Amino acid sequence: LVVVVVVVVTAVVLSNRTDTFKATFIQECERRTPVNTSTDCVEVWSAFEQAYVGRDPCQVPPEAYDHLLSVAPPQPACNRMLFWSGTKEVAHQVSEGCYQTMEDSMLGSVLDGKTWCGKEGSNETFTSGCPGWSECVNNPVRSFWSRASAEFAAVACGDAVVLLNGSRDTPFSPTSIFGSIEVKKFTSDRMKSLTAVLVTKDNVLANCEDESLKNLQKELKPGIKYICKEVPESELLTCKNDHDQTCVPCW
Ligand code: APR
């Protein structure tokens, strides 16, 4: 009897875990989707879970999310696209209400900060015991951000911005998502310019002459204008505060 109870309780706990994650996903999706659009959040959920459920959590490549991205593609906001690398917190403080980051897209906002994976022989979604970011390359979380970021960058249009970390030795890292995926997806027929804002804290380790930024410039397709600016983080935040309503660029 004890064994039966343990099995039943475990089964209930496990299915609740999937149910909570699923319910939150659908609820957040609906909150983020205007009522008169064709997006069906139950369909979005199915496309999402189909990418990783029942699979070895180290064998989920970015392409597993192709269908999801076709069901819920990111909507570009020309001249208001903001990319970031090593500057997540300040990027979202600065972008709030004015610029669009990956995490402002519907899928990005639903999945930001979340962990999920499946398991071979199971139809459950697990939210713990999943591989870490670098444990294996093809894990469900990393593959999602890689695939979704590629799509987000591919539709970027007009004058775009990237906030890079000037308090790092290498502000433009070729192994980051921005450096290895997004930059390569920018197209000159859509994107007019990219402004790299080198955000610095007290310790300034890099300026616009930095070698890594030369590599960034080289990666950009001819026709995309490159601009670089060095701005202290405190200045960005004060400026954002002062111009909160008007969205005046702070660089
Ligand atoms: N280990 C753990 N987490 C990592 C690692 C790692 N080695 N690398 C990246 N991450 C996760 C973390 O959650 C981190 O906060 O990715 C986030 C972003 O990493 P960064 O190196 O700061 O930036 P980058 O890899 O360039 O990704 C940001 O990707 O989603 C897009 O549009 C978005 O432009 C943005 C870019």
Side-chain angles (χ1 to χ4, degrees):
L1 181 71
V2 173
V3 174
V4 172
V5 168
V6 167
V7 168
V8 168
V9 167
T10 312
V12 167
V13 167
L14 285 182
S15 64
N16 271 343
R17 225 184 270 162
T18 303
D19 288 351
T20 311
F21 188 81
K22 179 179 174 179
T24 313
F25 182 105
I26 292 173
Q27 197 182 325
E28 286 298 297
C29 169
E30 278 167 357
R31 203 171 61 81
R32 292 296 317 254
T33 308
V35 272
N36 51 356
T37 57
S38 60
T39 308
D40 172 352
C41 290
V42 175
E43 191 191 342
V44 177
W45 166 261
S46 304
F48 170 67
E49 68 166 1
Q50 171 234 285
Y52 62 86
V53 155
R55 292 208 199 184
D56 174 339
C58 278
Q59 288 188 25
V60 177
E63 307 81 63
Y65 292 100
D66 282 357
H67 179 54
L68 173 66
L69 268 303
S70 72
V71 172
Q75 303 296 323
C78 296
N79 303 317
R80 293 198 291 116
M81 308 280 282
L82 191 139
F83 298 85
W84 55 271
S85 195
T87 54
K88 187 171 185 180
E89 198 183 344
V90 66
H92 290 122
Q93 286 168 330
V94 169
S95 68
E96 202 206 338
C98 292
Y99 287 84
Q100 207 197 358
T101 66
M102 175 67 223
E103 295 71 27
D104 294 311
S105 69
M106 191 277 281
L107 288 176
S109 70
V110 169
L111 294 167
D112 192 21
K114 302 237 170 35
T115 302
W116 65 90
C117 63
K119 203 193 257 180
E120 273 181 305
S122 159
N123 60 2
E124 296 288 336
T125 294
F126 300 88
T127 54
S128 59
C130 298
W133 186 269
S134 305
E135 226 170 294
C136 50
V137 180
N138 283 338
N139 68 67
V141 175
R142 186 166 174 165
S143 290
F144 166 76
W145 290 107
S146 299
R147 182 63 188 84
S149 302
E151 204 67 22
F152 183 66
V155 298
C157 44
D159 298 313
V161 184
V162 61
L163 301 195
L164 299 174
N165 193 333
S167 293
R168 281 189 179 173
D169 283 327
T170 314
F172 176 69
S173 156
T175 57
S176 65
I177 290 190
F178 178 72
S180 65
I181 297 170
E182 292 182 319
V183 161
K184 297 177 195 302
K185 289 285 179 180
F186 293 157
T187 66
S188 57
D189 54 332
R190 289 173 185 263
M191 196 186 279
K192 247 170 61 194
S193 73
L194 178 73
T195 299
V197 179
L198 208 47
V199 187
T200 50
K201 293 203 182 183
D202 296 339
N203 58 332
V204 179
L205 288 182
N207 59 24
C208 281
E209 310 313 312
D210 190 86
E211 207 46 47
S212 81
L213 296 174
K214 303 240 155 67
N215 296 333
L216 165 57
Q217 202 171 350
K218 270 187 244 158
E219 283 283 350
L220 291 178
K221 311 236 163 45
I224 302 179
K225 190 179 168 196
Y226 170 78
I227 301 146
C228 180
K229 303 218 169 141
E230 297 155 19
V231 188
E233 186 179 280
S234 55
E235 223 171 85
L236 270 188
L237 296 174
T238 316
C239 163
K240 166 72 180 164
N241 235 346
D242 293 349
H243 302 286
D244 218 10
Q245 305 305 317
T246 52
C247 293
V248 170
C250 293
W251 34 82

